Amino acid sequence: MFCYQCEQTAQCSGCTSFGVCGKDPETAALQDLLVDVCKQIAVKAQAGGRSREADLFVMEGLFTTVTNVNFDPDDIAMVIRRGAKLCDFEPAADMDGLVKQGEAVGIESRKNTLGDDITGLQELILYGLKGMAAYADHAYILGKEDDSVFAFFHEALASLKQDTPTVDALFSLAMKVGEVNLTVMGLLDEANTGTYGHPVPTPVNINAVKGKAILISGHDLKDLALLLEQTEGKGINIYTHGEMLPCHGYPELKKYKHLVGNYGGAWQDQRAEFEAFPGAILMTTNCIQKPKENYKARIFTCGLVQWPGVQHIDNGDFSPVIEAALEAPGFPETEPEKNIMVGFGHNAVMSVAPTVIDAVKSGALKHFFLIGGCDGAKSGRNYYTDFAEAVPDDCAILTLACGKYRFNKLEFGEIGGIPRLLDIGQCNDAFSAIQIAIALAGAFDCGVNDLPLSMILSWYEQKAICILLTLLHLGIKDIKVGPSLPAFITPPVLNVLVEKFNIAPTTTAEADLAQCLGN
Ligand code: SF4
Ligand code: SF3
């Protein structure tokens, strides 16, 4: 196998014998094959064979191969066979044959023929498309879609099948992924806020409440809404985990009294946290890790997430989760309440814009830092905690995605009544951050790059890639990315990114902070 699509890839170069994430070589080959089938469907679509089924297949197929989503080879094989019917691909009759077909279209074969730079750029585009597919799927589930987005998936995937790609063409395509992803994040924003209302600043209890419990993780708001409806009046408390935390700010979700709080931290701590959680657990999207035996019977997956041997719910009926929660002991005691704040989406921040602008003009608020992105397990990520802690008191921190857990339980205080730490939401709420930055630039009559704003991003999986491409498409410069740079970005490609966007790897919190503040 060869996979280098995420930040924790082995030796910062590629997983070759087994995925650090837990992906085995068989699943890796099948994921490569599934991606290739998506490309073949796209080629056919470009030749006039586009269909609704092809649109949806490509979106879900790509999302299936995002890091930490689907680890079940049997399920992926089934998806490949379904996809083969939408193009001219002949799938092998058995699993061994499918794995061989996957190995033949893997990254290594292309690295040999096209070289590392071209292959790396192709993968940059592919990973951006994978992240975008995840967001498009969330929006689609809530009834929002855009034909031009589906058309672009085909256009981009079909170009990745070309035999003689050029660096320039691939680079423009990568920027186009960023552009289309902005549309997709906008669609998802409309879907989430249109269905559940605009998030409002809301305190969230991070301590336990006595009673039976279900923990829900991932990004899919509809799954949470369904779970809340189905558990109402059943004496079960619902806790959010990981990227579900921002859901507490949505009026149509926070109205449920049994949505009692947030439990645990980011995805990479789940094995210890889920073991200790005295109830049932529902994984709605990435990031699942290999479940421990002692909670395997009380963890469930839904949507595109799957783990072999873990019960999957695909009809929106969460009765098995509810039964498992009722069988589990629940929390024996209520702990003293401890709150953190969420709900600072673009609507909430815009509503206090005059106060923010006055604070900047008076010099009370000197600089904004956007510190966020995907969290991960590798050492070096305490950089983000150190950075947030070192931000001077006259500066505000905007945060989003699961990287916030590095510092969101620390005390940051306020500036003129505005909290210094503003939790904008999930990773896809980068859309909100962009709207806020554009509005601020408008208010100060300058460009986003001229604002007293620095972006310090952490990356882990492919959704961070599509967001990064969106920021680059918008021409945003001086972004700092860490804790390490993607293995698929080769030195010549990095040089181009540095030249055009002054993108820089994170160094030390102290040095980077000083540089951002011009000290
Ligand atoms: Fe390795 Fe990441 Fe690929 Fe998993 S997804 S196999 S950890 S590079
Ligand atoms: Fe985190 Fe997976 Fe990406 Fe949505 S939950 S940000 S890593």
Side-chain angles (χ1 to χ4, degrees):
M1 68 178 279
F2 184 89
C3 181
Y4 61 0
Q5 71 173 355
C6 85
E7 185 269 341
Q8 68 180 356
T9 193
Q11 274 95 44
C12 291
S13 65
C15 294
T16 51
S17 49
F18 210 92
V20 176
C21 59
K23 184 159 81 176
D24 58 41
E26 184 182 50
T27 307
L30 293 174
Q31 288 191 359
D32 287 346
L33 186 56
L34 175 52
V35 166
D36 197 70
V37 168
C38 288
K39 289 179 188 170
Q40 294 190 43
I41 291 171
V43 169
K44 189 164 175 186
Q46 288 303 92
R50 196 180 147 198
S51 64
R52 175 76 176 156
E53 231 183 329
D55 289 355
L56 298 179
F57 184 90
V58 161
M59 175 179 74
E60 290 177 355
L62 290 176
F63 186 7
T64 298
T65 66
V66 166
T67 298
N68 290 349
V69 173
N70 190 328
F71 290 87
D72 190 336
D74 293 332
D75 184 68
I76 300 172
M78 228 165 57
V79 178
I80 290 169
R81 292 189 192 290
R82 208 154 40 80
K85 297 200 179 103
L86 300 171
C87 57
D88 303 320
F89 175 63
E90 283 288 337
D94 58 9
M95 187 61 104
D96 281 353
L98 285 178
V99 168
K100 285 205 177 71
Q101 287 178 320
E103 285 165 357
V105 294
I107 295 167
E108 270 171 317
S109 61
R110 256 180 306 129
K111 273 160 87 79
N112 290 336
T113 50
L114 298 173
D116 286 351
D117 298 339
I118 294 277
T119 307
L121 266 172
Q122 286 182 326
E123 294 304 293
L124 171 69
I125 292 161
L126 175 66
Y127 304 154
L129 292 172
K130 287 185 180 194
M132 192 169 101
Y135 294 150
D137 192 54
H138 293 320
Y140 163 75
I141 284 169
L142 288 173
K144 287 274 171 203
E145 58 183 80
D146 183 327
D147 189 66
S148 69
V149 171
F150 287 121
F152 179 68
F153 274 122
H154 295 302
E155 180 196 327
L157 283 169
S159 333
L160 294 180
K161 257 305 210 194
Q162 265 176 21
D163 290 337
T164 50
T166 65
V167 168
D168 284 350
L170 290 172
F171 203 85
S172 325
L173 188 56
M175 292 303 107
K176 186 82 197 289
V177 174
E179 183 184 349
V180 179
N181 184 52
L182 183 61
T183 304
V184 173
M185 290 195 299
L187 274 180
L188 181 51
D189 180 78
E190 252 178 76
N192 285 339
T193 59
T195 315
Y196 304 112
H198 281 283
V200 292
T202 305
V204 181
N205 185 11
I206 54 170
N207 279 343
V209 175
K210 185 177 175 180
K212 303 286 182 186
I214 294 175
L215 185 60
I216 178 167
S217 192
H219 301 70
D220 199 308
L221 274 58
K222 186 169 181 189
D223 288 325
L224 173 59
L226 289 174
L227 182 68
L228 286 166
E229 275 168 30
Q230 292 172 27
T231 47
E232 201 169 19
K234 291 213 159 64
I236 300 172
N237 290 324
I238 307 297
Y239 295 79
T240 57
H241 179 265
E243 279 281 71
M244 280 287 175
L245 167 61
C247 296
H248 291 271
Y250 286 84
E252 289 302 313
L253 298 172
K254 67 182 279 192
K255 69 180 185 190
Y256 291 95
K257 296 282 170 283
H258 62 302
L259 177 62
V260 295
N262 175 255
Y263 174 91
W267 66 272
Q268 74 276 5
D269 299 326
Q270 68 186 250
R271 283 165 59 86
E273 289 171 359
F274 291 179
E275 182 174 22
F277 188 77
I281 302 144
L282 178 62
M283 298 299 292
T284 68
T285 48
N286 61 325
C287 292
I288 191 170
Q289 289 183 298
K290 183 179 182 186
K292 288 189 178 184
E293 285 306 318
N294 58 11
Y295 64 81
K296 206 167 176 183
R298 55 186 172 88
I299 185 170
F300 300 82
T301 57
C302 64
L304 293 176
V305 189
Q306 300 218 31
W307 192 284
V310 166
Q311 190 173 344
H312 184 73
I313 292 167
D314 58 10
N315 57 1
D317 176 358
F318 295 122
S319 309
V321 187
I322 294 168
E323 277 161 35
L326 292 173
E327 272 168 29
F331 284 104
E333 295 300 335
T334 296
E335 294 168 351
E337 201 170 315
K338 183 173 185 332
N339 289 317
I340 56 174
M341 290 297 291
V342 300
F344 295 95
H346 56 93
N347 205 53
V349 175
M350 264 26 148
S351 69
V352 293
T355 319
V356 173
I357 291 162
D358 286 350
V360 174
K361 285 189 173 153
S362 73
L365 178 46
K366 292 224 163 52
H367 203 94
F368 296 91
F369 290 92
L370 176 66
I371 312 176
C374 298
D375 205 3
K378 260 207 264 175
S379 60
R381 287 193 179 253
N382 54 332
Y383 166 94
Y384 297 93
T385 319
D386 297 345
F387 197 111
E389 280 182 316
V391 166
D393 291 348
D394 54 5
C395 303
I397 301 171
L398 309 168
T399 191
L400 48 80
C402 64
K404 71 176 68 125
Y405 284 100
R406 294 275 159 184
F407 49 83
N408 70 342
K409 289 167 188 157
L410 304 175
E411 206 39 72
F412 288 94
E414 296 185 341
I415 299 177
I418 299 164
R420 279 187 61 229
L421 177 68
L422 299 167
D423 184 345
I424 297 177
Q426 297 180 333
C427 45
N428 42 285
D429 294 312
F431 180 77
S432 249
I434 291 166
Q435 301 311 307
I436 293 167
I438 292 173
L440 279 177
F444 293 109
D445 200 16
C446 66
V448 170
N449 286 320
D450 307 315
L451 285 172
L453 165 70
S454 304
M455 299 197 185
I456 321 293
L457 304 183
S458 57
W459 88 282
Y460 168 66
E461 36 81 2
Q462 297 77 54
K463 292 190 276 179
I465 299 300
C466 66
I467 292 172
L468 185 64
L469 292 176
T470 296
L471 296 174
L472 299 183
H473 149 73
L474 290 170
I476 294 174
K477 295 194 168 152
D478 302 321
I479 299 171
K480 297 198 187 299
V481 182
S484 55
L485 290 179
F488 49 88
I489 304 250
T490 56
V493 175
L494 180 62
N495 283 344
V496 177
L497 293 177
V498 172
E499 223 168 82
K500 285 195 169 205
F501 303 105
N502 205 24
I503 198 164
T506 52
T507 61
T508 65
E510 207 184 15
D512 289 350
L513 180 64
Q515 202 211 21
C516 294
L517 293 172
N519 298 334

